């Protein structure tokens, strides 16, 4: 009598009655019975009568025979098989949504863009694994950064077809999540080490080093193209219609590490803006192109080429337009708050933990709603040192062009240390 074993010899033995009838008929023919007629139900009754430890169970249109001692292990294996089926179905559902959900890195990593780059079902599945499937756990924990990171890595490492023979698979740009892009760009900005970035990429945690160079080249190409179109070097983070000031100074980088190969002594121009509650308008964000460039193009010549200049004995001051200043009421409200703090400090005799008499505590507590965090941007560095008339004149010209582009009608304001201030004045 043959039998079908579900797993190994040590596994529970389960017979299917339909599979027993056919070999039983063949055995009767071997024993000399002429054209035996095997009735499955009668065969089952004879087996149960002759083997008391055997039990009959019906599953659909099939009849299964199993020993009483094997019923428990059989049920246990069936439950595990059922769980495996549920996991397989869940993985198939999520995989279909992951392959259909497509996003591409545009030009910036915005807050909230991580959720847009992954299917909602995948994010909820990861949250359920980390925090539990009940509603209370979801309401208590919400969506943590670890949930977004894990879900984005799963989406980033999802392949429609895996290529054999490759040690590192090629990731699809349609499923390039912000987390993988951020890790690659961050390591490149901090270390510039190809080996480190490729090692993270090999483990599915980051984009590749070649992809980092491609994104960097595309961003640089897009920025230079915008500078040419606007005919002024002005970073996109700066807004229009805001009071803008600038500062010029030398910037030095002389690394002392034994592995360092370069150093520089250049000139930097920084731009500062004071945003208000009324002006929250952003400039058009950059959109990278589909070109395969990996090298940033040259800056416009009107920015990098510094024309010769020299001092005159009696220079004539340039004409100045009317200065546009913020409303005087804003200064009055701020000054009133400062004097109230001074009076409070003067009248304070007993100091306790709740007394905000220090300047840092006062400044942190009395920030008015009209004042917001200043916008700061560093213009591209210039190779020439700042301690020259030509360089200072060039910086003043570029600042004037940027201010006229951002806030027309405003008088340019340039800040500098004492040696540079003397030349600029």
């Amino acid at each position: 009598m043959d039998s079908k074993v579900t797993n190994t010899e040590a596994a529970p033995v389960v017979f299917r009655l339909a599979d027993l009838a056919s070999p039983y008929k063949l055995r009767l023919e071997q024993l000399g019975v002429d054209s035996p007629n095997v009735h499955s139900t009668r065969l089952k009754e004879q087996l149960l009568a002759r083997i008391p430890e055997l039990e009959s169970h019906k599953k659909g249109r099939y009849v299964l025979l199993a020993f009483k001692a094997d019923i428990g292990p059989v049920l246990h294996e069936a439950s595990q098989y059922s769980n495996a089926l549920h996991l397989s179905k869940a993985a198939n559902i999520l995989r279909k949504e992951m392959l259909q959900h497509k996003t591409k890195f545009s030009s910036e990593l915005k807050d909230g863009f991580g959720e847009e780059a992954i299917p909602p079902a995948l994010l909820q599945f990861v949250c359920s694994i980390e925090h539990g499937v009940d509603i209370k756990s979801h309401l208590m924990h919400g969506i943590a950064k670890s949930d977004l990171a894990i879900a984005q890595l799963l989406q980033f490492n999802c392949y429609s077809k895996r290529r054999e023979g490759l040690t590192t698979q090629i990731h699809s740009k349609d499923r390039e999540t912000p987390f993988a892009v951020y890790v690659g760009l961050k390591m490149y900005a901090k270390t510039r080490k190809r080996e480190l970035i490729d090692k993270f990429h090999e483990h599915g945690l980051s984009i590749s080093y070649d992809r980092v160079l491609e994104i960097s080249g595309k961003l640089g190409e897009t920025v230079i193209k915008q500078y040419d179109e606007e005919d002024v070097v002005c970073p996109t983070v700066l807004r229009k219609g805001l009071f803008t000031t600038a500062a010029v100074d030398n910037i030095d980088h002389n690394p002392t590490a034994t592995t360092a190969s370069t150093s520089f002594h250049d000139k930097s121009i920084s731009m500062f803006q004071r945003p208000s509650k009324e002006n929250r308008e952003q400039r058009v964000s950059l959109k990278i192109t589909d070109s395969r460039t990996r090298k940033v193009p040259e800056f416009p010549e009107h920015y990098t080429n510094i024309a010769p200049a020299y001092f005159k004995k009696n220079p004539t001051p340039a004409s100045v337009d009317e200065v546009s200043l913020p409303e005087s009421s804003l200064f009055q409200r701020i000054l009133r708050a400062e004097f109230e703090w001074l009076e409070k400090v003067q009248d304070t005799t007993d100091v306790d933990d709740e007394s905000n008499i220090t300047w840092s505590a006062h400044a942190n507590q009395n920030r008015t709603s009209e004042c917001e965090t200043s916008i700061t941007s560093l213009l591209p560095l210039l190779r020439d040192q700042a301690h020259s008339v030509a360089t200072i004149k060039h910086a003043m010209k570029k600042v004037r062009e940027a201010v006229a582009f951002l806030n027309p009608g405003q008088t340019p304001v340039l800040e500098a240390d004492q040696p540079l201030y003397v030349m600029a004045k």
Side-chain angles (χ1 to χ4, degrees):
M1 183 182 298
D2 296 332
S3 64
K4 288 193 173 182
V5 183
T6 58
N7 192 354
T8 61
E9 295 181 357
V13 181
V14 179
F15 303 95
R16 195 168 62 173
L17 184 60
D19 297 333
L20 294 178
S22 178
Y24 180 67
K25 180 180 178 180
L26 294 176
R27 182 58 176 166
L28 290 177
E29 291 177 351
Q30 290 179 354
L31 295 176
V33 179
D34 187 18
S35 300
N37 185 14
V38 179
H39 195 276
S40 299
T41 304
R42 292 175 184 174
L43 177 61
K44 179 190 69 172
E45 292 175 353
Q46 292 180 10
L47 291 173
L48 294 178
R50 294 179 180 275
I51 308 176
E53 296 297 324
L54 198 64
E55 289 185 345
S56 173
H57 301 276
K58 191 171 183 180
K59 184 178 184 299
R61 63 188 184 91
Y62 295 107
V63 177
L64 302 178
L65 301 176
F67 292 95
K68 295 180 180 179
D70 293 338
I71 296 298
V74 168
L75 294 177
H76 178 68
E77 287 190 3
S79 63
Q80 291 183 338
Y81 180 70
S82 177
N83 291 336
L85 287 178
H86 292 318
L87 292 176
S88 177
K89 291 180 180 179
N92 190 31
I93 294 173
L94 290 175
R95 181 174 172 78
K96 287 182 179 179
E97 294 198 15
M98 292 167 66
L99 293 176
Q100 293 175 357
H101 191 89
K102 297 181 179 180
T103 55
K104 287 187 177 181
F105 175 73
S106 58
S107 61
E108 53 186 343
L109 301 172
K110 298 181 180 179
D111 293 337
F113 185 67
E115 298 185 24
E116 300 177 3
I118 52 179
L122 175 62
L123 181 58
Q124 293 302 323
F125 184 78
V126 173
C127 292
S128 300
I129 293 177
E130 287 202 3
H131 311 303
V133 296
D134 56 298
I135 300 178
K136 185 177 180 180
S137 298
H138 281 262
L139 295 177
M140 181 183 302
H141 300 283
I143 299 176
K145 290 184 177 180
S146 59
D147 303 332
L148 282 173
I150 295 174
Q152 290 184 56
L153 289 177
L154 289 174
Q155 177 73 6
F156 175 65
N157 291 282
C158 181
Y159 305 98
S160 57
K161 292 183 180 180
R162 193 173 184 88
R163 301 181 182 180
E164 298 181 0
L166 294 179
T167 56
T168 303
Q169 295 295 320
I170 301 176
H171 294 78
S172 174
K173 295 180 182 179
D174 293 334
R175 290 183 293 275
E176 199 171 61
T177 54
F179 182 80
V181 176
Y182 172 78
V183 172
L185 295 179
K186 189 69 174 178
M187 287 192 296
Y188 180 74
K190 292 293 185 181
T191 65
R192 293 293 199 276
K193 295 185 179 298
R194 183 189 187 106
E195 181 181 0
L196 179 61
I197 298 175
D198 284 341
K199 181 62 67 175
F200 271 70
H201 173 66
E202 182 181 347
H203 290 81
L205 302 175
S206 163
I207 58 177
S208 64
Y209 183 81
D210 292 336
R211 178 57 177 160
V212 169
L213 296 183
E214 183 180 349
I215 292 178
S216 178
K218 287 182 178 180
L219 288 174
E221 183 183 21
T222 306
V223 169
I224 300 302
K225 182 178 179 181
Q226 183 174 4
Y227 290 165
D228 290 333
E229 293 176 354
E230 296 175 346
D231 198 26
V232 61
V233 176
C234 185
T236 56
V237 68
L238 300 175
R239 305 179 191 174
K240 287 190 175 183
L242 293 180
F243 187 77
T244 306
T245 60
V248 59
D249 198 0
N250 285 315
I251 180 169
D252 302 291
H253 179 66
N254 186 19
T256 58
T258 56
T259 57
S261 58
T262 59
S263 63
F264 59 83
H265 182 75
D266 303 335
K267 186 191 71 172
S268 63
I269 303 175
S270 301
M271 306 289 293
F272 308 94
Q273 287 187 324
R274 280 71 178 174
S276 60
K277 190 175 182 179
E278 293 78 12
N279 192 325
R280 295 179 179 270
E281 180 182 357
Q282 301 283 348
R283 292 170 61 192
V284 179
S285 58
L286 299 175
K287 297 295 182 182
I288 61 177
T289 59
D290 293 332
S291 62
R292 295 184 176 273
T293 180
R294 293 173 58 182
K295 183 178 180 181
V296 179
E298 298 292 337
F299 281 95
E301 292 186 359
H302 64 80
Y303 184 81
T304 56
N305 290 345
I306 299 179
Y310 58 93
F311 278 130
K312 292 183 179 180
K313 293 184 178 180
N314 297 314
T316 304
S319 59
V320 179
D321 299 332
E322 183 179 356
V323 178
S324 58
L325 297 176
E327 298 181 2
S328 59
S329 59
L330 176 61
F331 293 106
Q332 294 175 0
R333 290 195 297 271
I334 296 176
L335 288 175
R336 190 181 306 113
E338 304 300 332
F339 280 111
E340 290 177 357
W341 170 74
L342 289 174
E343 293 176 358
K344 178 182 178 180
V345 173
Q346 185 177 5
D347 297 337
T348 300
T349 55
D350 298 329
V351 179
D352 53 19
D353 296 336
E354 298 181 357
S355 299
N356 296 327
I357 62 173
T358 62
W359 168 252
S360 58
H362 163 69
N364 186 40
Q365 184 181 18
N366 293 279
R367 179 182 290 274
T368 61
S369 58
E370 294 86 352
C371 298
E372 297 186 2
T373 305
S374 299
I375 302 174
T376 304
S377 179
L378 180 67
L379 270 63
L381 300 179
L382 295 172
R383 295 183 179 276
D384 303 75
Q385 296 186 13
H387 291 86
S388 69
V389 179
T391 307
I392 291 297
K393 181 180 179 181
H394 181 76
M396 296 173 67
K397 180 181 179 181
K398 296 297 115 179
V399 169
R400 182 179 60 188
E401 294 176 356
V403 172
F405 173 77
L406 295 171
N407 194 21
Q410 177 197 324
T411 301
V413 179
L414 182 65
E415 304 169 5
D417 58 8
Q418 184 63 28
L420 302 183
Y421 170 77
V422 172
M423 286 187 288
K425 183 177 180 180

